[in-house]
Amino acid sequence: MIEWIKFRWEQHQIQRWTDQISRAQDEAEEKARARSATAQELHELGHDFFSQRRLADDEMIRLTSNYYVRLAHRMLIPVPEFKTEGGHWMESEEHPGRYHLTPQTLHELRAAIRSEKKARREEWTVWLVLITGILGALSGLVAIIKN
């Protein structure tokens, strides 16, 4: 649970970073247009913000991939074998040498995790129903004995 909270917090921080980049880009473009910037200047400005946005997106992908890999390991779900070329892993565009799961592999891993969580939850549900039934029967028996 704590790891999930940490993951969500880090996701939130990256989203805030992305929002700040977007706001800064809007403000910079507005100022550039106000001073009658050329199309080339606007293009360079957009390129600078685009590269910052790619860094933020890359960080979000890395965070998500790492979280689900750790979760899968903890739940004893097999994680695809790491291969630098042609496997289920791909190198980060912004940080060479860093790898994360491909979108399709991440989707499949998340589905496997959901399936495992559902199976574990169903096991507890059976026991909870059984215990509730026994407690109900015992309370009924106690009520009959007291009368």
Side-chain angles (χ1 to χ4, degrees):
M1 181 69 170
I2 291 175
E3 191 168 342
W4 179 81
I5 292 170
K6 183 180 174 191
F7 168 67
R8 296 299 291 182
W9 175 253
E10 289 175 5
Q11 254 187 340
H12 174 72
Q13 294 297 98
I14 294 170
Q15 187 59 50
R16 284 184 54 204
W17 178 28
T18 302
D19 293 345
Q20 288 172 350
I21 292 169
S22 295
R23 281 193 301 276
Q25 180 180 8
D26 291 345
E27 291 171 6
E29 285 179 355
E30 190 174 304
K31 287 179 183 177
R33 284 196 174 93
R35 62 178 170 77
S36 301
T38 65
Q40 179 64 27
E41 290 174 330
L42 287 172
H43 177 72
E44 288 174 7
L45 186 65
H47 185 269
D48 291 341
F49 283 106
F50 178 73
S51 63
Q52 289 179 19
R53 177 66 188 250
R54 283 184 57 179
L55 279 172
D57 291 344
D58 190 63
E59 193 63 25
M60 183 68 83
I61 292 168
R62 183 201 59 79
L63 172 72
T64 305
S65 184
N66 288 345
Y67 172 74
Y68 284 108
V69 167
R70 284 192 312 270
L71 186 58
H73 282 300
R74 204 170 61 239
M75 297 177 80
L76 303 176
I77 296 172
V79 176
E81 179 183 348
F82 176 77
K83 292 181 185 175
T84 56
E85 302 259 341
H88 297 280
W89 296 81
M90 60 189 285
E91 189 169 14
S92 168
E93 294 177 9
E94 299 299 316
H95 297 99
R98 284 175 135 182
Y99 290 84
H100 55 81
L101 293 172
T102 63
Q104 179 63 31
T105 304
L106 184 60
H107 174 74
E108 292 167 3
L109 187 60
R110 289 182 67 206
I113 290 170
R114 280 192 303 272
S115 176
E116 179 66 20
K117 282 183 175 182
K118 181 180 178 186
R120 290 180 181 190
R121 194 172 40 250
E122 287 172 352
E123 288 175 10
W124 281 102
T125 304
V126 169
W127 283 103
L128 184 62
V129 168
L130 182 65
I131 291 171
T132 303
I134 290 172
L135 289 175
L138 287 175
S139 66
L141 185 61
V142 168
I144 291 174
I145 292 173
K146 282 192 173 185
N147 284 335

